[in-house]
Amino acid sequence: MGETTKIGWVRNTDGSKGATINFWIGCTEVSDECDNCYARELSERYGWAEWGAGQPRYKTKGAVKNVRALARKAAARAAKEPGYRTRAFTNSLSDFFDTEIDRAWREEALDEIDAAPFVDLLILTKRPKVAQQVMQERYGNQAPKNIWIGTTAGTQKMWDLRIPILGKTPAAVRFVSVEPMLEGIDPGNAFDPPISDDGFQPVGWVICGGESGTMARTFDVANARALRDQCRWSGVPFFMKQLGARAVDEINGIAGRSLKVDPDVEAIIRRLKNPAGADPTEWPADLRVQQFPEAA
Ligand code: SF4
């Protein structure tokens, strides 16, 4: 559970692949983005943990050891190459701020991360309110330099609900994963908040993607372009992760095998050769934008 990851946005500062660390497995769905939860699917297939409220979460073995191994390697590397940092994504098979875990598990994980100054922990949650409480209780308003907090916002409703909370959560970098992107998003003031918005720190990174898997919902590439432009105008790094399994692009067309006309959007849905639409060489050139924030 500390393997090198194929997730494109988890990269060490030298551009090499980062890691995933899962301190536990299991979760409960909280919003529309969870409908086709990849972690639940994998967990059902391999019998790791049952999903849902009241179901016990499974504490993985070896996560602490893995963090320590990453910490050791990263420190040795940083001693030779000042500025080097390793990046690790947690938890890809659960939500780090799930309310149903034993809180001691999360504290143990944070203890390890506090002792790993050259490892940036990228935590993506759909429970930003819990993230805010946990981070404030533990760190006050002084964000640790190696904890990045992100939240998922695949719809406008979730953007409007979660981003104001994220903006007031202590973290080295605050980021948003607009994946699966289920509709167009108006970021409002999230990138350039007015000075009067006391304590709100702007979003510092946006990741965008369509949904993969057999049940994937349609991803309208025009919505990604609009969000990319908003990021560009505000100087916020934008990372196009994947076009998903059901991409529609009215402007450029997308190469690939035609599936069928989707009556909702009255457009031909196409599947790219890469099943998740994650190969940038298959994308329209203007979408090949994969930027990262500065090291915190
Ligand atoms: S929060 Fe994440 S891990 Fe939990 S059900 Fe939703 S998609 Fe799955």
Side-chain angles (χ1 to χ4, degrees):
M1 296 295 170
E3 302 93 1
T4 302
T5 181
K6 289 184 189 155
I7 299 171
W9 51 266
V10 186
R11 285 281 181 272
N12 305 321
T13 44
D14 65 355
S16 61
K17 290 177 179 170
T20 47
I21 296 172
N22 281 287
F23 292 97
W24 56 87
I25 303 174
C27 196
T28 301
E29 298 82 349
V30 284
S31 57
D32 290 350
E33 298 97 335
C34 300
D35 284 1
N36 299 318
C37 173
Y38 167 79
R40 182 186 60 215
E41 228 178 278
L42 274 183
S43 195
E44 278 168 5
R45 193 181 313 159
Y46 297 109
W48 291 331
E50 295 290 323
W51 238 245
Q55 297 291 349
R57 304 335 189 197
Y58 167 71
K59 190 169 189 288
T60 57
K61 296 181 182 71
V64 166
K65 205 170 129 210
N66 288 333
V67 177
R68 290 181 185 177
L70 283 179
R72 249 193 324 272
K73 279 190 202 159
R77 184 89 184 262
K80 288 188 213 144
E81 298 165 41
Y84 173 81
R85 304 187 69 76
T86 287
R87 302 257 157 79
F89 170 42
T90 183
N91 285 345
S92 63
L93 298 172
S94 57
D95 188 324
F96 194 77
F97 295 105
D98 181 3
T99 50
E100 293 196 54
I101 57 145
D102 181 340
R103 293 178 65 163
W105 297 359
R106 188 163 46 224
E107 291 300 315
E108 180 190 41
L110 290 170
D111 287 346
E112 291 303 322
I113 287 301
D114 287 347
F118 301 102
V119 178
D120 291 330
L121 189 74
L122 279 57
I123 307 177
L124 181 59
T125 182
K126 293 184 178 67
R127 296 168 171 86
K129 192 76 209 165
V130 184
Q132 187 185 49
Q133 280 162 0
V134 168
M135 295 296 284
Q136 278 175 346
E137 270 171 29
R138 187 175 169 105
Y139 300 106
N141 284 323
Q142 190 58 49
K145 286 195 166 54
N146 65 336
I147 299 185
W148 300 20
I149 305 275
T151 194
T152 305
T155 62
Q156 188 71 50
K157 185 176 163 198
M158 286 303 132
W159 185 284
D160 294 343
L161 185 76
R162 292 173 176 164
I163 304 308
I165 303 167
L166 178 73
K168 293 188 178 176
T169 301
V173 174
R174 293 165 195 80
F175 65 101
V176 186
S177 171
V178 184
E179 187 200 356
M181 188 182 213
L182 299 175
E183 61 185 18
I185 301 281
D186 173 359
N189 292 326
F191 303 149
D192 305 293
I195 293 168
S196 59
D197 195 347
D198 190 28
F200 181 94
Q201 297 297 316
V203 165
W205 191 26
V206 172
I207 298 157
C208 181
E211 196 166 38
S212 52
T214 50
M215 304 292 286
R217 288 162 284 183
T218 301
F219 172 62
D220 188 342
V221 172
N223 292 331
R225 283 198 175 92
L227 187 59
R228 174 207 60 194
D229 289 345
Q230 290 284 345
C231 288
R232 182 190 293 154
W233 294 327
S234 296
V236 173
F238 177 85
F239 191 97
M240 188 71 232
K241 183 191 167 202
Q242 61 183 38
L243 301 195
R246 292 170 65 81
V248 176
D249 186 1
E250 304 257 4
I251 299 174
N252 288 293
I254 296 177
R257 188 158 49 88
S258 171
L259 290 182
K260 61 177 183 181
V261 173
D262 185 316
D264 292 338
V265 290
E266 294 182 346
I268 297 172
I269 309 297
R270 293 177 191 274
R271 193 189 291 275
L272 303 181
K273 286 184 200 127
N274 181 296
D279 178 357
T281 63
E282 293 190 84
W283 306 348
D286 70 310
L287 280 173
R288 292 175 206 154
V289 180
Q290 295 194 319
Q291 298 164 331
F292 293 88
E294 295 286 319

